[in-house]
Amino acid sequence: MPNGYWIGRIDVIKPEYTKAYGPALAAVLRKYDAKFRVRGGTFEAVEGKARDRNIVIEFKDYETALACYHSPEYTKARALRADAVDIDIIVIEGYDGPQPTD
């Protein structure tokens, strides 16, 4: 079964309002056994519009990724960053099929 992911693109508007969000997010991600695969880092936008930050968070499967996003704990955490960020997040199923190198 393929992993599930959150893919997020974020512009921080009011950094002072996001300080409590990080620890709250970490607690939720621990509960769902999630792992950051991308968290900030150097990047180059080679096509399309970029945002300030990018994240990829991995979960054991799509259902777990979706359940975490819709959980009461994450709903509370999201409220901590309300109006402080412009954010796009998708929850997506990974791919474990044939690869170009196969």
Side-chain angles (χ1 to χ4, degrees), residues 22-87:
L25 173 62
V28 176
L29 296 180
R30 271 193 302 277
K31 177 179 178 182
Y32 286 86
D33 198 28
K35 296 178 177 86
F36 279 104
R37 294 301 183 202
V38 173
R39 186 176 187 186
T42 303
F43 72 93
E44 180 178 337
V46 294
E47 288 190 41
K49 181 185 179 309
R51 291 200 181 255
D52 296 333
R53 292 189 52 122
N54 302 284
I55 60 148
V56 176
I57 303 172
E58 183 180 69
F59 296 81
K60 71 177 182 175
D61 55 36
Y62 174 76
E63 291 75 19
T64 302
L66 205 54
C68 181
Y69 185 83
H70 292 295
S71 71
E73 298 90 352
Y74 188 62
T75 299
K76 289 179 187 175
R78 276 196 332 258
L80 297 172
R81 64 162 166 74
D83 301 322
V85 298
D86 280 335
I87 189 167

Side-chain angles (χ1 to χ4, degrees), residues 8-21:
R9 300 171 47 246
I10 304 126
D11 286 331
V12 178
I13 300 165
K14 299 177 184 173
E16 64 276 16
Y17 294 108
T18 63
K19 290 185 186 343
Y21 175 70

